[in-house]
Amino acid sequence: MNISWNDWDLGAKTIFIASCAAVISMVLPWVDIGIVSSNGIMQGGFLLLLLYVYPALKILKNGKMNKKIALGLSVVSVIGSVVWIFSKSVTIMGKSVNASGSGLYIFLLASIALTYGIWKTSIAED
C-alpha cells in the first residue's frame, strides 16, 4: 500500500480526501441537541464507513476498481447519510427539531465527494 499522490488523477485524490473526511467525521457530533451530543462512532456511523473500504483500498494499492460496484457503494453511502439525517428528528416542547450534528453533514459531503471521485477516476475498469 502506497500513497502516490503525484501519480493519482483527480478522481483518486478525491476518493482519498473523501475517505479521510469520513473518518474524521466519526469523532465529530452526529447528534447535537445542545446539552447532549453523540459522535459518529457512538451512533454506529462506522457501519456506513465500511462502504468506503473498497474504493479506498483500490486507490491505495493502485489497483483497478470495478466502477459499478464502487459507484453502488458510494450511492448507498449517500442514501444512508440522508436517511440518517432525517431519522434524527426529535420533538422538543412540541416542535420537531432535527438534531443532526456537524459530523453527519460532513459525512454526507464526503459521500457525495466519494461518488464524484469514483465517477471521475481513470483507474476504474469500465
Side-chain angles (χ1 to χ4, degrees), residues 23-90:
V23 169
I24 291 169
S25 79
M26 290 295 135
V27 296
L28 297 173
W30 276 39
V31 173
D32 192 5
I33 304 176
I35 58 172
V36 178
S37 180
S38 181
N39 66 24
I41 297 168
M42 293 168 50
Q43 286 291 307
F46 58 87
L47 296 173
L48 288 176
L49 195 59
L50 293 174
L51 299 168
Y52 282 72
V53 172
Y54 175 74
L57 281 179
K58 287 298 181 178
I59 64 159
L60 288 174
K61 291 184 176 183
N62 293 322
K64 296 282 185 191
M65 111 176 47
N66 185 320
K67 206 168 198 173
K68 290 178 184 175
I69 291 173
L71 278 173
L73 291 171
S74 66
V75 167
V76 168
S77 178
V78 170
I79 293 169
S81 303
V82 170
V83 168
W84 213 298
I85 287 170
F86 285 118
S87 74
K88 298 303 171 197
S89 292
V90 293

